[in-house]
Amino acid sequence: MGIGNSLCKRRKCGALESSHRNDTDLSITRRFSIGGLASVAHHASSKFRIPDRLLTMDVMVLDNSLREPEVAQLNAHTVEDKKAIYAELLKCGFTEIIVGLFKEHKTVFDVFVQDLLNSGADRRSLWAFSNMTDKGFDHHERLWDTTIPIGLRRMKKYGIYNVILEVDLHCKTVTSMSQAEIDSALDRLTQRAVDRLEWVQEFLALPG
């Protein structure tokens, strides 16, 4: 759930607006507070047959307002924009916040995160994205790449402990691969994921 893109248009911290359009083209618009999610869930359960177990699950909400789209982005956030969005998220009661993703070259994310940490933000509640590998979509060594991606290395540098590993499964060459080659690639992908998670446990573990 994100509010960053609409922050300049609508500053309503206690309430968020949600719209849903079902198969019969009926539009339902609900306005609800963070504390009113349960009533909305019960309404949705009766109308859309959500399993009862979903109403009692202990869920964690990760806010993704601070991350910006990487495609067709015309107006990027400034550091001050991100600071304003972060302040609004805290007012809304979000406790787990994605601060962005890091690239080989430094971006506004780096400056924002450094300022945020220097201001005393709780590192335990901050998250960031990292690619499983920095190789391109169709690089032939993509699944064999053992180099720790820049996202993880930058998180270690800044002291951000919570990572979301992104795995791009798209690969044009898969159409020319045999089943045995596909199985081998999946085995390597699984091993690469294990390697990355072991690295995270060793270098991004919460203090204490």
Side-chain angles (χ1 to χ4, degrees):
M1 184 182 296
I3 65 172
N5 293 333
S6 61
L7 182 62
C8 296
K9 299 179 183 177
R10 186 176 69 224
R11 290 182 177 272
K12 296 177 180 175
C13 190
L16 303 175
E17 189 169 288
S18 173
S19 298
H20 178 88
R21 184 172 295 276
N22 63 17
D23 293 338
T24 57
D25 205 32
L26 296 177
S27 180
I28 299 173
T29 300
R30 288 271 168 188
R31 193 177 297 277
F32 55 94
S33 66
I34 298 300
L37 288 174
S39 62
V40 174
H42 280 290
H43 169 83
S45 176
S46 61
K47 191 163 187 68
F48 302 110
R49 298 179 183 175
I50 295 176
D52 290 340
R53 66 184 182 84
L54 295 182
L55 302 177
T56 57
M57 290 179 67
D58 184 15
V59 300
M60 180 178 67
V61 178
L62 279 172
D63 184 88
N64 198 28
S65 300
L66 290 166
R67 179 178 177 175
E68 302 168 72
E70 299 185 60
V71 179
Q73 178 177 294
L74 300 179
N75 299 300
H77 291 165
T78 65
V79 173
E80 294 306 314
D81 288 334
K82 292 189 180 297
K83 288 180 178 179
I85 293 168
Y86 182 77
E88 293 294 327
L89 294 174
L90 294 182
K91 292 177 185 177
C92 287
F94 287 103
T95 57
E96 305 294 332
I97 299 172
I98 301 170
V99 293
L101 74 164
F102 303 105
K103 298 181 177 294
E104 183 175 356
H105 57 281
K106 288 191 174 182
T107 68
V108 66
F109 286 119
D110 295 83
V111 179
F112 166 68
V113 167
Q114 287 177 300
D115 285 354
L116 192 63
L117 297 176
N118 289 337
S119 69
D122 186 358
R123 299 170 186 266
R124 295 171 299 177
S125 67
L126 303 181
W127 295 68
F129 286 94
S130 174
N131 289 320
M132 184 82 76
T133 173
D134 290 328
K135 298 291 186 183
F137 277 146
D138 292 304
H139 197 288
H140 68 284
E141 295 181 353
R142 193 163 168 230
L143 297 179
W144 288 257
D145 182 26
T146 59
T147 305
I148 299 301
I150 188 65
L152 290 180
R153 285 182 276 144
R154 204 69 61 79
M155 290 177 68
K156 178 186 177 183
K157 175 182 177 180
Y158 295 144
I160 296 178
Y161 310 119
N162 303 305
V163 60
I164 301 171
L165 280 174
E166 291 191 295
V167 184
D168 294 314
L169 298 179
H170 165 73
C171 181
K172 294 179 182 178
T173 57
V174 72
T175 56
S176 61
M177 296 169 63
S178 67
Q179 185 60 51
E181 290 173 323
I182 293 175
D183 291 341
S184 176
L186 290 175
D187 288 341
R188 288 186 177 272
L189 176 61
T190 301
Q191 183 57 53
R192 195 62 57 238
V194 171
D195 293 343
R196 295 293 185 262
L197 292 174
E198 288 178 345
W199 189 93
V200 167
Q201 288 183 327
E202 181 176 357
F203 295 105
L204 299 184
L206 284 168

